């Protein structure tokens, strides 16, 4: 009954490009069908409150905006050692965000294999429920990145309907 | 002038909180509390359909999504004169209560306990003695083998240099008072609470459709129509029972055990006289009886009737264009033009300063327990009196950091117990054939309303004005605005600022004592921007200036 693969969009839709992860997850839910072991979750900015869903996953695909010294719109994929390590970053005292929630999984003896995909944001400060046009243009590509991750894991998926600019066999 | 230190940010859970304190003769002489981020969601709501407001406001916070949605639909229901069906009231209560159970457990163990528990010291503990201690004080005693396993796990973290969530703590600080065995027991329960909270969060999904971001709330009721059956209620009940057992057998005994080593904190971190409670958890359809009674305390334990007309917001010391203090209906959100400058002698925060009859009341668990106690609520009175007696402290100790932390535990018990009654009510309604969960209504052209609730962090209110069926004005005043607000035009400081004054500080470079009081308020400043940055992790700063 527990899903093994979790696609987790995170971010705040009220701060323009910060909502990328959520917009990608919305697209995935709208246009694609996945087998039962895949769950697609809109995580918002819930931080430690996501531990419940994270701690059930064997594979975690996080979708988020990523500041990675690139240009706005650049696509990024972080895995393994590239994932910022709060453990070493001397960042927190008692505070817990998504990455710390991952660290806390170690206490539950269950750390999911994690990959983070997303794009360099242009604007994460303006209060707006819309992505900038630069990032909006990348939503579909980030969707494809997620689908590719599923392929690597050997998980099939189906399009709900045929739409322009999006194909798969 | 004393030495000033600044802690920034206090929390990464939500938003950006900066605390600056001035220390003289090893005590806090003055304190400033600053919200470092502008929240202007109200501006985004103008012109939208009132029925959509809750979808937006629930995104303003990463921790309390549901509670904002609830206040928002209540505001629209008030404006449009809608009485929700009994089942909707009960389901809203249950989900809201589930939020309390989850939030308070996480707060105690994962956000606050390490202010009191020296996790590194736990490595020195004798697991055999720890097992004995747990047999004496815990409702869920464990063997020495169990504690040995926990200790080994902690050792692995520490020896690898990877303290994870425990990194950068003030381990070994002289203000830590627990024996090593108690530290180890608490560390074990930290991990147990992690497992439990993951389950408790699932209560939301039963009637909420999904979690996170439950989607069952609508103006007029709830949409959990298909969940109104015995199986779903049982599913909820099973998780509730497990959570309740944890609260009774682990949380409360831990709270009492830890508090018994920190009785001196019953005289630190108070300084607030005024307390405000909106109240919540309607016990009947007319909503005339609330589990958490509303009220206002001006001083001591005398409770006055709540009058929401007395609420104003002052922006003299906040980064908004100066205006006279106004009620939220007339509230404006006009950030000052140009660059903002942090100046503790002038403007220093993005948080407005809400006032009730000109006073700066504290909101939250302590306020709620004090109002219930002051009103003679039998359950609250009984619990509080027992707790004071067990700890061997007087009622003065309530007005403190210790009292605030204890109040949070006590209300977890009160609300948890009430959940059982609501589940029974729901069952009996279904048995009677009452499955109504939604009241239909029509949108007026013009209306005004407000929605109040009392949420884990305190009094939350949303105010809405509707014109031509659209939102004309929307304002909300959140618990952290009350508690973490700055001074006002008259120089009255906000509750957290006041609480910090007089706190003893052993080492200004390691202001653990400041964190104890700040964390006891469960800081949560809304609208965190969330990005992954693999290169420049923010550094937790303590600056001595």
């Amino acid at each position: 009954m527990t899903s093994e693969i979790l696609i987790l969009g995170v971010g705040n839709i009220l701060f323009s490009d910060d909502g990328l992860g959520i917009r990608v997850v919305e697209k995935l839910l709208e246009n694609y069908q996945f087998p039962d072991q895949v769950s697609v979750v809109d995580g918002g900015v819930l931080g430690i409150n996501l531990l419940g869903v994270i701690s059930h996953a064997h594979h975690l695909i996080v979708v988020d905006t990523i500041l990675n010294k690139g240009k706005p719109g650049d696509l990024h994929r972080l895995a393994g050692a590239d994932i910022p390590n709060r453990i070493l970053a001397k960042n927190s005292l008692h505070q817990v965000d998504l990455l710390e929630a991952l660290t806390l999984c170690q206490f539950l003896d269950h750390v999911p294999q994690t990959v983070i995909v997303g794009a360099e944001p242009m604007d994460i400060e303006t209060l707006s429920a819309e992505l900038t046009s630069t990032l909006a243009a990348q939503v579909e590509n980030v969707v494809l990145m997620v689908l590719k991750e599923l392929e690597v894991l050997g998980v099939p998926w189906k399009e709900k309907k045929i739409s322009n600019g999006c194909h798969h066999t | 002038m004393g030495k000033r230190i600044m802690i920034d940010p206090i929390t990464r859970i939500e938003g950006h909180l900066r605390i600056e304190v001035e220390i003289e003769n090893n005590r806090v002489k003055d304190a400033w509390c600053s919200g470092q981020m502008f929240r202007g969601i109200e501006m985004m709501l103008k012109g939208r359909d009132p029925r959509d407001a809750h979808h937006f406001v629930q995104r303003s916070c990463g921790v309390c999504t549901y509670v904002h949605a609830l206040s928002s639909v209540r505001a629209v229901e008030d404006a449009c004169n809608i009485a929700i069906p009994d089942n909707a009231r009960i389901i809203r209560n249950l989900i809201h209560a589930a939020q309390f159970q989850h939030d308070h457990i996480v707060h105690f163990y994962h956000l606050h306990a390490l202010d009191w528990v020296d996790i590194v010291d736990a490595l020195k503990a004798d697991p055999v003695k720890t097992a004995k201690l747990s047999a004496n004080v815990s409702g869920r005693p464990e063997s020495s083998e169990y504690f040995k396993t926990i200790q080994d796990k902690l050792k692995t973290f520490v020896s690898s240099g990877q303290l994870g969530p425990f990194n950068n703590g003030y381990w070994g600080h002289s203000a830590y008072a627990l024996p090593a065995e108690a530290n180890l027991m608490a560390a074990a329960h930290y991990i147990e609470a992690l497992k439990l909270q993951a389950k408790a969060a699932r209560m939301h999904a039963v009637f909420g459709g999904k979690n996170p971001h439950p989607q069952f709330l609508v103006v007029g009721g709830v949409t959990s129509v298909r969940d109104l059956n015995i199986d779903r209620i049982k599913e909820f009940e099973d998780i509730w029972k497990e959570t309740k057992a944890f609260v009774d057998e682990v949380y409360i005994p831990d709270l009492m055990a830890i508090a018994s080593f920190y009785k001196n904190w019953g005289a630190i971190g108070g300084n607030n006289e005024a307390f405000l409670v909106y109240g919540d958890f309607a016990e009947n359809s007319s909503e005339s009886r609330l589990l958490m009674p509303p009220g206002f305390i001006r001083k001591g334990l005398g409770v006055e009737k709540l009058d929401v007309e007395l609420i104003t917001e002052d922006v003299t010391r906040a980064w908004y264009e100066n205006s006279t203090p106004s009620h939220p209906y007339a509230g404006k959100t006009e950030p000052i033009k140009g660059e903002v400058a942090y100046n503790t002698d002038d403007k220093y925060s993005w948080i407005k300063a809400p006032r009730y009859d000109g006073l700066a009341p504290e909101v939250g668990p302590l306020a709620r327990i004090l109002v219930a106690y002051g009103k003679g609520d039998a359950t609250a009175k009984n619990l509080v009196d027992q707790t004071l007696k067990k700890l061997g402290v007087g009622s003065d100790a309530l007005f403190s950091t210790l009292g605030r932390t204890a109040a949070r535990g006590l209300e977890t018990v009160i609300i948890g117990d009430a959940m059982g009654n609501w589940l029974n009510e729901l069952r009996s309604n279904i048995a009677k054939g009452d499955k109504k969960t939604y009241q239909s209504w029509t949108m007026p052209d013009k209306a005004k309303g407000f929605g109040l609730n009392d949420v884990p962090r305190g009094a939350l209110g949303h105010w809405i004005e509707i014109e031509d069926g659209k939102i004309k004005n929307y304002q909300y005043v959140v618990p952290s605005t009350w508690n973490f607000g700055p001074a006002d035009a008259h120089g009255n400081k906000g509750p957290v600022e006041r609480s910090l004054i007089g706190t003893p500080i052993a080492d200004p470079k390691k202001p653990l004592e400041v964190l104890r009081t700040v964390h006891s308020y469960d800081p949560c400043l809304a609208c965190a921007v969330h990005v992954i940055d693999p290169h420049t992790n923010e550094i937790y700063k303590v600056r001595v200036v």
Side-chain angles (χ1 to χ4, degrees):
Chain A
M1 71 170 232
T2 51
S3 27
E4 292 175 7
I5 299 165
L6 173 66
I7 302 168
L8 180 68
V10 289
N12 195 334
I13 55 165
L14 302 181
F15 285 97
S16 195
D17 290 341
D18 198 50
L20 175 76
I22 311 304
R23 300 309 179 198
V24 168
V25 154
E26 285 169 358
K27 277 269 184 275
L28 286 165
L29 289 169
E30 201 180 299
N31 298 334
Y32 297 90
Q33 277 178 306
F34 304 102
D36 285 347
Q37 86 254 41
V38 177
S39 21
V40 184
V41 171
D42 163 4
V45 283
L46 281 164
I48 191 186
N49 290 3
L50 294 171
L51 190 60
V53 284
I54 293 174
S55 61
H56 290 106
H58 296 113
H59 294 274
L60 177 63
I61 303 167
V62 178
V63 192
D64 199 356
T65 40
I66 302 174
L67 292 169
N68 201 21
K69 297 180 176 167
K71 295 191 306 294
D74 282 358
L75 299 176
H76 300 298
R77 178 184 187 275
L78 305 177
D82 297 335
I83 295 179
N85 199 340
R86 293 277 179 221
I87 302 166
L88 299 173
K90 293 201 184 240
N91 180 53
S92 76
L93 183 54
H94 313 159
Q95 294 77 19
V96 188
D97 66 5
L98 174 71
L99 295 170
E100 280 150 9
L102 277 174
T103 312
L104 288 171
C105 285
Q106 295 182 33
F107 279 116
L108 304 178
D109 302 314
H110 187 101
V111 186
Q113 285 287 324
T114 304
V115 53
I116 304 176
V117 297
E120 192 94 11
M122 176 159 231
D123 179 359
I124 51 170
E125 283 172 10
T126 303
L127 200 68
S128 159
E130 308 291 329
L131 299 176
T132 59
S133 57
T134 312
L135 268 270
Q138 290 293 42
V139 167
E140 208 53 62
N141 288 326
V142 180
V143 165
L144 293 176
M145 288 176 86
V146 173
L147 297 176
K148 199 167 163 221
E149 294 299 330
L150 290 179
E151 278 167 30
V152 171
L153 293 170
V155 178
W157 48 269
K158 271 200 302 214
E159 276 185 74
K160 280 187 184 164
K161 55 180 190 281
I162 296 160
S163 60
N164 290 337
C166 192
H167 56 87
H168 188 257
T169 48
Chain B
M1 197 174 103
K3 184 181 269 190
R4 286 211 185 180
I5 61 171
M6 193 186 276
I7 311 173
D8 176 19
I10 279 277
T11 174
R12 288 205 81 256
I13 261 207
E14 268 299 313
H16 301 248
L17 172 62
R18 173 189 286 180
I19 299 283
E20 183 169 345
V21 292
E22 185 176 333
I23 298 170
E24 204 171 75
N25 301 324
N26 298 319
R27 276 188 192 274
V28 174
K29 191 184 161 207
D30 208 346
W32 299 268
C33 199
S34 170
Q36 291 282 303
M37 207 164 160
F38 171 60
R39 173 176 67 90
I41 291 149
E42 286 102 335
M43 292 163 16
M44 187 189 263
L45 289 169
K46 279 188 184 166
R48 293 189 187 267
D49 190 314
R51 286 169 297 193
D52 289 340
H54 69 276
H55 293 301
F56 287 90
V57 296
Q58 71 164 328
R59 297 283 176 165
S60 59
C61 178
V63 182
C64 0
T65 57
Y66 170 66
V67 301
H68 281 296
L70 183 59
S71 263
S72 181
V73 297
R74 280 181 178 167
V76 183
E77 283 160 359
D78 181 48
C80 305
N81 216 1
I82 306 161
I84 60 166
D86 204 33
N87 290 325
R89 165 186 69 84
I90 298 168
I91 289 175
R92 286 183 183 185
N93 276 359
L94 284 168
I95 300 290
H96 195 188
Q99 170 104 32
F100 269 87
Q101 303 298 293
H102 180 268
D103 230 53
H104 282 358
I105 291 171
V106 168
H107 180 267
F108 181 72
Y109 285 100
H110 307 123
L111 305 173
H112 198 27
L114 304 185
D115 295 336
W116 313 99
V117 174
D118 186 338
I119 212 89
V120 172
D121 186 65
L123 298 182
K124 290 189 214 143
D126 175 351
V128 176
K129 284 190 194 157
T130 309
K132 273 187 199 149
L133 174 73
S134 97
N136 278 335
V137 304
S138 178
R140 213 174 275 183
E142 291 283 358
S143 66
S144 56
E145 291 76 26
Y146 165 85
F147 287 112
K148 180 84 180 52
T149 315
I150 299 288
Q151 204 176 33
D152 289 344
K153 204 181 252 189
L154 284 176
K155 252 179 209 153
T156 314
F157 264 74
V158 175
S159 58
S160 65
Q162 303 203 338
L163 276 164
F166 311 139
N167 212 351
N168 210 24
Y170 299 134
W171 315 125
H173 195 289
S174 63
Y176 281 117
L178 295 185
E181 282 70 28
N183 281 322
L184 179 57
M185 186 177 81
H189 292 162
Y190 178 104
I191 296 170
E192 296 299 334
L194 267 184
K195 294 181 196 164
L196 189 273
Q197 70 91 25
K199 280 185 198 153
R202 262 183 270 156
M203 272 190 279
H204 276 108
V206 177
F207 299 117
K210 70 185 186 97
N211 183 60
H213 302 297
Q215 281 184 334
F216 71 107
L217 265 185
V218 283
V219 175
V222 299
T223 56
S224 328
V225 185
R226 279 189 302 177
D227 301 314
L228 268 192
N229 64 60
I230 299 303
D231 292 342
R232 294 297 273 170
I233 294 173
K234 173 82 170 44
E235 202 179 328
F236 188 98
E237 189 174 45
D238 287 346
I239 315 174
W240 164 69
K241 278 188 178 156
E242 205 174 327
T243 309
K244 181 174 153 44
F246 184 86
V247 172
D248 293 342
E249 294 166 12
V250 186
Y251 178 9
I252 297 302
D254 279 353
L255 178 65
M256 296 302 289
I258 294 172
S260 69
F261 287 93
Y262 288 103
K263 288 187 205 172
N264 57 327
W265 279 81
I268 302 169
N271 287 355
N272 284 320
E273 292 179 336
F275 295 89
L276 176 69
V277 180
Y278 291 158
D280 214 329
F281 297 115
E283 296 275 37
N284 53 8
S285 311
S286 66
E287 305 192 359
S288 59
R289 201 153 41 82
L290 303 182
L291 178 74
M292 286 174 175
F296 174 69
I297 289 176
R298 199 174 291 274
K299 200 180 169 122
L301 283 165
V303 182
E304 297 172 19
K305 199 166 180 289
L306 174 75
D307 178 0
V308 289
E309 294 308 310
L310 298 178
I311 296 167
T312 53
E313 288 194 290
D314 182 301
V315 294
T316 315
R317 309 296 297 277
W319 290 310
Y320 298 92
E321 293 297 337
N322 281 342
S323 59
T324 46
S326 49
H327 185 269
Y329 271 140
K332 289 182 198 142
T333 305
E334 289 176 343
I336 56 168
K337 292 168 192 82
E339 287 277 297
V340 300
Y342 174 81
N343 179 356
T344 52
D345 293 325
D346 185 15
K347 289 179 183 280
Y348 59 91
S349 181
W350 279 118
I351 307 176
K352 296 177 182 178
R355 295 294 180 259
Y356 183 96
D357 202 13
L359 294 169
E362 171 177 344
V363 300
L366 177 58
R368 290 188 289 252
I369 287 290
L370 290 176
V371 165
Y373 190 84
K375 279 191 154 181
D377 177 276
T379 315
K381 203 163 178 325
N382 199 9
L383 262 178
V384 170
D385 287 340
Q386 272 180 23
T387 306
L388 293 173
K389 201 174 153 200
K390 247 189 218 161
L391 285 175
V393 294
S395 60
D396 281 1
L398 288 170
F399 300 82
S400 69
T401 292
L402 187 70
R404 197 173 295 119
T405 300
R408 184 171 289 110
L410 300 186
E411 77 171 9
T412 312
V413 174
I414 295 173
I415 297 166
D417 289 352
M419 291 168 82
N421 302 336
W422 298 325
L423 284 168
N424 288 337
E425 267 188 84
L426 204 53
R427 277 205 188 91
S428 104
N429 282 359
I430 296 169
K432 280 187 294 196
D434 173 10
K435 288 191 132 192
K436 188 175 176 185
T437 58
Y438 175 73
Q439 174 61 51
S440 59
W441 56 284
T442 45
M443 182 76 71
D445 285 340
K446 248 183 144 138
K448 266 175 154 187
F450 60 92
L452 304 181
N453 63 16
D454 237 282
V455 310
R457 290 175 178 80
L460 171 67
H462 286 221
W463 281 259
I464 190 170
E465 187 179 355
I466 300 171
E467 202 172 272
D468 299 329
K470 298 264 189 302
I471 297 172
K472 188 185 176 202
N473 196 16
Y474 200 103
Q475 289 286 319
Y476 49 117
V477 185
V478 307
S480 296
T481 323
W482 285 105
N483 287 335
F484 292 88
D488 58 31
H490 304 286
N492 294 321
K493 296 182 91 67
V496 171
E497 296 180 331
R498 292 167 63 107
S499 295
L500 288 170
I501 294 169
T503 303
I505 304 288
D507 178 356
K509 291 205 173 86
K510 295 178 178 171
L512 175 64
E513 300 90 339
V514 170
L515 290 181
R516 282 180 177 167
T517 294
V518 172
H519 284 152
S520 74
Y521 279 92
D522 198 357
C524 170
L525 302 192
C527 38
V529 168
H530 184 107
V531 291
I532 297 282
D533 184 345
H535 305 292
T536 58
N537 277 304
E538 260 180 278
I539 304 294
Y540 180 89
K541 283 179 283 194
V542 174
R543 285 213 322 252
V544 182
V545 289

